[in-house]
Amino acid sequence: QAAQFRSLLASGKMVIAPGAIDGITGRAIDRAGFPAAYMTGAGTSATLGYPDYGLLTMTEMVANATRIVNSISIPLISDADTGYGNELNVFRTVQEFERAGVAAIHIEDQAFPKKCGHLDNKEVVSREDYIAKIRAAAAARRTRDFCIIARTDSRAMLGLDEAIMRANLALANGADVAFVE
């Protein structure tokens, strides 16, 4: 599915990937004809009765992603929050999501504990720490098809110029796609 997702990106067309919170919503997205699905961290948290405050572990997120991947025939993009720690944790996170059959993950630059990207009063890590995570993510993937999406939530706190700087640095350091929240 990672190669299929790369082809979608290379097509130059907008990729619409509705949010899937479990296998049944993933299957509905697939059957409705969408080219990809997106496993939302907020939705996954909600299915377990938690708010999106970084309470779920990498293992819980990968387990949900695995169930969704096994229910669909289209690529799955997954929220990987902050990578669940420093660059060593990010390395393992990438390997686990890739092993699960996920096509792409996004890693954000929030400090721990993270918050839903749409909430106020978020904090972000330093630019250097964020880029170290992106480099680790790019180095960890087993195939070039697995897509690393670098998400920055810095715009709300540090301004658009800093968010664009972080996005460009992430792309220069191995990310495939930049996501400015």
Side-chain angles (χ1 to χ4, degrees):
Q1 291 184 348
Q4 186 180 350
F5 185 66
R6 283 270 178 197
S7 293
L8 286 171
L9 291 177
S11 75
K13 297 178 184 175
M14 181 184 299
V15 178
I16 299 174
I21 61 171
D22 56 19
I24 196 70
T25 56
R27 187 168 292 173
I29 291 164
D30 189 355
R31 288 191 177 171
F34 289 97
Y38 170 75
M39 188 186 92
T40 160
T44 301
S45 294
T47 65
L48 296 174
Y50 297 110
D52 188 19
Y53 285 149
L55 299 172
L56 296 189
T57 65
M58 180 268 296
T59 305
E60 290 169 311
M61 290 290 283
V62 169
N64 194 40
T66 301
R67 289 188 294 273
I68 296 170
V69 164
N70 290 333
S71 300
I72 62 177
S73 63
I74 57 177
L76 180 68
I77 306 159
S78 182
D79 186 344
D81 292 327
T82 63
Y84 309 101
N86 65 20
E87 56 268 28
L88 295 174
N89 303 100
V90 168
F91 197 94
R92 179 170 178 234
T93 295
V94 168
Q95 291 182 332
E96 295 295 331
F97 275 103
E98 188 174 15
R99 186 179 0 263
V102 171
I105 60 170
H106 73 75
I107 298 173
E108 62 203 48
D109 59 355
Q110 282 195 46
F112 185 82
K114 66 155 299 264
K115 293 182 177 180
C116 176
H118 308 299
L119 298 177
D120 292 332
N121 301 318
K122 297 177 297 284
E123 294 180 24
V124 294
V125 297
S126 72
R127 192 188 297 171
E128 295 76 20
D129 287 348
Y130 176 54
I131 298 308
K133 287 183 179 190
I134 297 302
R135 279 195 305 269
R141 59 182 155 197
R142 291 189 178 101
T143 70
R144 187 71 190 121
D145 287 329
F146 186 78
C147 186
I148 306 296
I149 302 169
R151 172 180 159 168
T152 178
D153 288 6
S154 63
R155 184 186 57 82
M157 293 77 60
L158 304 174
L160 183 59
D161 289 342
E162 177 63 18
I164 297 300
M165 173 68 74
R166 285 174 181 241
N168 285 331
L169 283 170
L171 291 169
N173 281 277
D176 302 294
V177 175
F179 171 178
V180 176
E181 171 68 35

